[in-house]
Amino acid sequence: MTGPEVIALGEVMLRLDPGEGRISTTRSFQVWEGGGEYNVVRALRRCFGLRTAVVTSLADNAVGRLVEDLVLQGGVDTSMIRWVPGGGIGRTARNGLNFVERGFGIRGALGVSDRAHTAVSQLRKGDVDWDTVFAAGPRWFHTGGIFAGLSDTTADVADEAMAAARRHGVTVSYDPNYRPSVWAGRGGADRSREVDLRLARHADVVVGALGLAGDRPGEVRVGADEVPDALAEVAAKLPGARVLATTLREVPSAGVNDWSSAAWSREDGFVAGPAVPGLHVLDRIGSGDGFAAGLVYGLVTGTGLARALAYGTAHGALTMTTPGDVSMATLDEVEALMNGGTAHVRR
């Protein structure tokens, strides 16, 4: 058995989902696993058939083992998980929880994460032997701003990992994925931008690149006609990046989104992705990660940027049609949608 082709660094949380109900009134939850960086490698394994692994840390208790079991069901290699003692009631380390409402109509999706002091947030430089990780010969490494924002040490770990990947000739992708809750009390949007620019300089590919437009994340609203200039602005900030990509979303309601994408590369310039107007959404959480997975698959397999964008856009759209963070799409479904497929019953 050869090693993983794609490796991600990030937190894997236990997602608790009240289904059609609300967090504050439900009496039962369905559980899933999920996490911005992990979702990418999970989809690359289950939908796109690549061998993948996740580097993370979990507290060694029954909840951590439940997360591990869910990761195993997703087919992602768990051998790089770092297990730490839970300290009885989680005084020293704990596992992250993420409560998520899907939203409906005029009520948007709601995420309430409970992830401070988790095992993975306590990772420090030197805890992972990155030269050994990358000596196994992976083709791609992915991480992002959610992991980097978990604590004062995780940005250093991401920096160390990305630099090691570059030394070993591994393609590196980074998703800023700004979350105000992650940076609250820790420097907010300004600190997030500082960390993102520090880490994205190691990246060959930046997903969610519009998050780096403007002076602060979330500060500017980029109209469709402004996307080429906004990506060019980001490219000027990141002279080492080869590809910048982004999803584009209009949200008339929680249940109907207009969904598309765009990218820029040094070889192709600006490339517009396919449009999926009026997409009916069951659960939008994880759709950006689904886009990233499809994009990475296209780039890894050498399809060219336009087709990689199409893989990302179609896969992200299908991810929104099923519950949970993780993709339940098949490669056949993704390619059928790329080729103009419809929702007619298949028998």
Side-chain angles (χ1 to χ4, degrees):
M1 178 69 176
T2 56
E5 298 165 275
V6 183
I7 297 172
L9 167 66
E11 182 166 40
V12 187
M13 295 184 292
L14 187 67
R15 170 173 165 173
L16 295 104
D17 186 345
E20 296 177 353
R22 304 211 67 181
I23 295 166
S24 59
T25 57
T26 191
R27 297 299 179 267
S28 62
F29 291 94
Q30 185 165 9
V31 297
W32 319 84
E33 85 282 23
E37 297 85 8
Y38 163 79
N39 293 340
V40 176
V41 289
R42 205 268 192 193
L44 283 166
R45 175 67 188 92
R46 294 293 285 170
C47 178
F48 296 102
L50 301 183
R51 299 182 308 278
T52 65
V54 62
V55 178
T56 194
S57 184
L58 293 169
D60 194 356
N61 57 30
V63 176
R65 293 298 172 177
L66 172 56
V67 174
E68 178 196 35
D69 191 61
L70 292 164
V71 173
L72 286 167
Q73 290 179 51
V76 176
D77 184 340
T78 60
S79 65
M80 298 180 189
I81 294 177
R82 184 173 183 267
W83 293 95
V84 300
I89 59 172
R91 284 194 182 94
T92 56
R94 55 188 292 272
N95 297 302
L97 306 177
N98 192 26
F99 299 81
V100 180
E101 294 177 11
R102 299 177 199 165
F104 184 82
I106 58 171
R107 177 172 57 87
L110 172 66
V112 180
S113 58
D114 181 15
R115 66 195 306 180
H117 312 299
T118 56
V120 73
S121 74
Q122 298 176 42
L123 280 180
R124 295 177 178 273
K125 287 180 66 173
D127 284 345
V128 178
D129 184 346
W130 292 109
D131 286 324
T132 298
V133 168
F134 294 121
R139 303 167 68 183
W140 198 285
F141 175 71
H142 178 73
T143 192
I146 295 179
F147 170 76
L150 292 179
S151 73
D152 292 334
T153 62
T154 50
D156 291 338
V157 175
D159 193 303
E160 175 188 46
M162 297 169 81
R166 294 297 295 267
R167 285 199 307 272
H168 286 266
V170 177
T171 301
V172 175
S173 58
Y174 183 80
D175 186 343
N177 228 345
Y178 174 63
R179 297 286 185 270
S181 60
V182 170
W183 291 96
R186 298 190 52 254
D190 290 330
R191 176 63 176 153
S192 170
R193 172 55 57 84
E194 178 186 330
V195 169
D196 281 335
L197 291 177
R198 170 190 168 196
L199 297 178
R201 66 187 172 87
H202 293 301
D204 301 285
V205 178
V206 178
V207 188
L210 280 188
L212 297 178
D215 294 329
R216 303 168 80 241
E219 183 178 64
V220 295
R221 171 72 175 169
V222 179
D225 59 338
E226 299 170 311
V227 173
D229 288 342
L231 289 178
E233 173 199 329
V234 176
K237 296 177 181 178
L238 301 173
R242 294 190 289 110
V243 175
L244 306 176
T246 187
T247 59
L248 301 172
R249 186 198 306 262
E250 296 292 336
V251 186
S253 79
V256 179
N257 290 186
D258 295 328
W259 173 253
S260 186
S261 64
W264 170 95
S265 77
R266 301 207 175 272
E267 293 76 19
D268 302 302
F270 178 77
V271 178
V276 186
L279 174 67
H280 286 257
V281 175
L282 178 64
D283 184 344
R284 67 171 277 176
I285 306 300
S287 55
D289 306 324
F291 168 78
L295 179 81
V296 170
Y297 173 74
L299 295 176
V300 164
T301 56
T303 66
L305 183 56
R307 189 157 179 84
L309 265 185
Y311 272 114
T313 307
H315 184 250
L318 287 167
T319 300
M320 286 186 270
T321 68
T322 54
D325 279 37
V326 298
S327 166
M328 299 181 189
T330 68
L331 182 54
D332 284 347
E333 289 171 337
V334 171
E335 291 182 335
L337 183 57
M338 291 166 62
N339 295 326
T342 70
H344 289 300
V345 175
R346 294 184 297 278
R347 304 180 191 272

